[in-house]
Amino acid sequence: MKAIVLALALIAGVSAVPQRNFAAGFAKDQRNLIETIIENIVKLVINGIQARGLDPLYVESAEGSYTLFGLEDVFSATGSVSELAFEGSSNIVINEITYNLFGGNINLDFTLPKLSGSAGMFK
């Protein structure tokens, strides 16, 4: 009788020990790696925008024309702008990044909270 109780206690003790799920741990590590890579790419984009002087962007005046495949009869456009101001393009805020290792899906939720632009004249 004591042997049966001892065996049941031993089985219960072994069953109560938490087991590691290596596949879930690997998936979580992989997901965190992908999320970190995406965050770093977004930071590189932000730094690139700022390094090139594109935020804030100010153009005193510009004009141009465009023709579709060099055929003026099909489509052509001309335009000009003065006092163009655009700022906030480097204010990228990442709200959430989710990566599903098994489905291969990446969901990126971000906002540009202080994006603004104006033009003195556009024609």
Side-chain angles (χ1 to χ4, degrees), residues 2 5 7 12-13 20 26-27 31 33-34 38 43 56 62 67 69 91 97 100 111:
K2 289 181 184 179
V5 173
R20 290 189 51 135
F26 175 74
R31 186 184 74 232
L33 176 66
I34 298 296
I38 292 171
K43 288 177 185 175
T67 328
F69 301 121
N91 295 335
I97 299 173
N100 183 351
T111 56

Side-chain angles (χ1 to χ4, degrees), residues 101-117:
L101 176 67
F102 301 112
N105 298 332
I106 298 174
N107 294 319
L108 177 62
D109 179 19
F110 67 94
T111 56
L112 294 165
K114 297 179 181 177
L115 190 63
S116 65

Side-chain angles (χ1 to χ4, degrees), residues 34-43 45 92-100 105-111:
I34 298 296
E35 291 172 4
T36 303
I37 290 171
I38 292 171
E39 286 176 0
N40 289 336
I41 290 171
V42 170
K43 288 177 185 175
V45 168
I92 301 171
V93 176
I94 300 172
N95 298 324
E96 183 180 8
I97 299 173
T98 55
Y99 175 66
N100 183 351
N105 298 332
I106 298 174
N107 294 319
L108 177 62
D109 179 19
F110 67 94
T111 56

